[in-house]
């Protein structure tokens, strides 16, 4: 009877009897605990002190207890919430294991995110506070120093401003990710205006931008502002990371059937002839705050959020982002979007 009951349970579960032996155990518990065979002493199977204590107290006092239980499955660490509850007045206790891994991971991600944001804000804030103090003290009557420090303070304040704006963008894009965009956008025209806006930046960095395919409309269903942000972030990165004297190629291509989308697609390609990216970094580039070279990114005014924003926008548009790079030869970012029907 008790065996049938725990076999029907969706969670791994065991029953420990008054004499401290396994009275029943289901298949989930077998997978989790190795051999949870009936008749064995529970200490031989559980081995983790917090849960051993919980079972011991529950058997002795009849109280409900819970404990954290850790396991490794297919090389992945898992966290379980083990609950120990007395079964009526039989003297036995039911132990169930609830998988908490996803909740733990979400908590960890949130903590990492808060730590990252705080760290990113603290650096410019510390600089600002330092310069304010200097301007009040040592540099009070020094007009040259004042002008120089105000310039640095402006740069640091702009960095914080950009970070806050990127955080807000990311937040908006994430919260809308499941809402399908409604407008129709000509990607070619949109790219043309993004390139116009970035022309002064390219000039200043000594980068030549060549284009192709911008004369034929490439219609996709989408949100024009968000797609402009995708193009801006990718072209800006290409300009920033290619390096002086290198070139950037931007193109729009149309294909009748793209294997990744299994249908007609418009491709936005941004390729640079920069130093390229080592293959180990590529899968992680779209993580928030992931940078290959922290110092270089900050020098360039980067927030580390640009590609995370790109990825979320592309997902919302049911598209794909592909990154290919050859160290020494350059990097190519490809955004593949379904053609508007
Ligand atoms: P950032 O604000 O640092 O530019 P992004 O999310 O836009 O943040 O990019 C993340 C990282 O990816 C950058 O710090 C840089 O190391 C790398 N990266 C992005 N685009 C390129 C590129 N075109 N060439 C080389 N590295 C790049």
């Amino acid at each position: 009877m008790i065996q049938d009951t725990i076999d029907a349970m969706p969670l791994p579960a065991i029953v420990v009897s008054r004499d401290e032996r396994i009275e029943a155990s289901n298949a989930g518990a077998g997978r989790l605990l190795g051999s949870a065979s009936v008749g064995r002493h529970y200490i031989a199977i559980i081995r983790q002190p917090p849960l051993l204590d919980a079972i011991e107290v529950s058997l002795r006092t009849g109280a409900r207890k819970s404990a954290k239980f850790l396991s490794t499955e297919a090389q992945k660490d898992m966290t379980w919430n083990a609950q120990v509850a007395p079964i009526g007045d039989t003297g036995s206790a039911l132990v169930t294991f609830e998988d908490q891994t996803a909740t733990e991971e979400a908590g960890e991600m949130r903590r990492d995110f808060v730590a990252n944001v705080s760290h990113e804000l603290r650096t410019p804030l510390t600089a600002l506070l330092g310069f304010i103090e200097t301007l009040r003290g040592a540099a009070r009557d020094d007009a040259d120093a004042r002008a120089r420090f105000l310039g640095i303070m402006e740069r640091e304040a702009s960095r914080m401003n950009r970070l806050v704006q990127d955080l807000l963008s990311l937040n908006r894009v994430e919260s809308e990710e499941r809402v399908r965009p409604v407008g129709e956008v000509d990607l070619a025209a949109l790219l043309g205006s993004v390139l116009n806006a970035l022309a002064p930046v390219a000039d200043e960095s000594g980068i030549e931008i060549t284009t192709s395919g911008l004369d034929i409309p490439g219609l996709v269903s989408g949100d024009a502002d968000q797609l402009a942000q995708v193009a801006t972030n990718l072209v800006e990165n290409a300009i920033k990371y290619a390096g002086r004297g290198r070139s950037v190629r931007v193109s729009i291509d149309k294909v009748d059937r793209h294997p990744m989308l299994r249908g007609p697609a418009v491709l936005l390609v941004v390729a640079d002839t920069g130093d390229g990216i080592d293959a180990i970094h590529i899968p992680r580039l779209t993580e928030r705050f992931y940078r290959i070279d922290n110092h270089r990114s900050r020098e360039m005014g980067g927030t580390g959020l640009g590609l995370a924003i790109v990825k979320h926008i592309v997902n919302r548009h049911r598209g794909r982002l592909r990154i290919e790079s050859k160290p020494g030869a350059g990097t190519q970012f490809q955004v593949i979007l379904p053609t508007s029907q």
Side-chain angles (χ1 to χ4, degrees):
M1 168 65 189
I2 193 117
Q3 182 64 53
D4 290 343
T5 310
I6 68 164
D7 278 343
M9 285 177 72
L11 305 176
I14 56 173
V15 175
V16 182
S17 64
R18 189 200 304 265
D19 65 359
E20 302 179 349
R21 293 187 181 273
I22 306 291
E23 194 177 330
S25 141
N26 66 9
R31 277 193 300 275
L32 177 62
L33 302 171
S35 142
S37 33
V38 171
R40 292 186 70 187
H41 199 284
Y42 77 88
I43 293 179
I45 289 157
I46 301 226
R47 294 203 188 95
Q48 294 184 23
L51 182 54
L52 291 176
D53 289 349
I55 296 173
E56 199 259 327
V57 172
S58 183
L59 286 179
R60 191 159 38 82
T61 64
R64 279 174 179 270
K65 287 278 156 195
S66 68
K68 210 178 196 180
F69 187 80
L70 306 172
S71 73
T72 311
E73 213 168 273
Q75 297 190 334
K76 184 171 180 267
D77 290 336
M78 300 186 70
T79 308
W80 304 81
N81 178 26
Q83 306 255 13
V84 190
I87 305 177
D89 52 12
T90 60
S92 302
L94 171 69
V95 186
T96 51
F97 298 83
E98 206 182 333
D99 186 358
Q100 296 279 303
T101 315
T103 321
E104 288 274 324
E105 279 173 358
E108 199 172 309
M109 269 172 70
R110 203 182 52 237
R111 284 190 295 277
D112 279 356
F113 183 64
V114 171
N116 275 325
V117 171
S118 316
H119 177 77
E120 296 288 334
L121 283 171
R122 199 168 54 199
T123 315
L125 256 181
T126 309
L128 278 177
L129 288 172
F131 284 117
I132 290 172
E133 202 175 297
T134 315
L135 284 174
R136 280 214 172 115
R140 189 165 34 197
D141 303 316
D142 182 342
D144 284 350
R146 202 161 53 221
R148 204 171 64 245
F149 293 159
L150 282 172
I152 303 174
M153 290 167 75
E154 186 178 15
R155 217 173 50 229
E156 297 298 329
S158 307
R159 176 199 298 286
M160 288 201 287
N161 198 19
R162 262 196 315 277
L163 179 64
V164 171
Q165 265 167 8
D166 276 359
L167 284 170
L168 289 173
S169 284
L170 191 59
N171 200 32
R172 202 169 43 240
V173 176
E174 270 187 314
S175 61
E176 286 174 356
E177 196 163 331
R178 290 176 197 290
V179 187
R180 256 197 133 115
V182 284
E184 183 167 76
V185 181
D186 174 3
L187 213 56
L190 178 138
L191 194 57
S193 56
V194 165
L195 290 177
N196 266 342
L198 289 175
V201 187
D203 276 352
E204 206 175 299
S205 314
I207 299 274
E208 192 201 348
I209 301 187
T210 56
T211 62
S212 70
L214 265 58
D215 39 354
I216 321 160
L219 293 180
V220 296
S221 32
D223 177 316
D225 287 345
Q226 290 192 341
L227 292 175
Q229 188 159 20
V230 167
T232 306
N233 288 2
L234 294 180
V235 176
E236 249 178 9
N237 274 354
I239 297 173
K240 275 193 312 200
Y241 298 109
R244 187 159 284 278
R246 304 272 173 76
S247 62
V248 173
R249 181 172 56 80
V250 183
S251 64
I252 296 282
D253 291 306
K254 282 187 277 181
V255 294
D256 290 337
R257 189 182 151 79
H258 194 284
M260 283 169 108
L261 298 184
R262 301 196 184 149
V266 180
L267 270 66
L268 159 65
V269 180
V270 180
D272 63 62
T273 57
D275 294 337
I277 300 170
D278 201 288
I280 53 160
H281 297 294
I282 291 183
R284 301 197 57 193
L285 290 183
T286 55
E287 286 175 20
R288 300 154 174 194
F289 298 115
Y290 188 85
R291 300 161 163 124
I292 298 167
D293 179 341
N294 272 327
H295 180 71
R296 178 149 184 228
S297 158
R298 290 210 179 88
E299 280 285 292
M300 304 273 188
T303 59
L305 295 173
L307 291 179
I309 294 174
V310 166
K311 190 190 81 178
H312 282 290
I313 295 178
V314 173
N315 284 349
R316 182 184 177 212
H317 286 76
R318 311 274 194 277
R320 300 279 190 283
L321 174 68
R322 235 166 105 173
I323 309 174
E324 282 168 14
S325 186
K326 272 207 193 91
T331 309
Q332 187 186 81
F333 287 81
Q334 238 185 60
V335 175
I336 305 149
L337 294 169
T339 307
S340 82
Q341 305 294 336

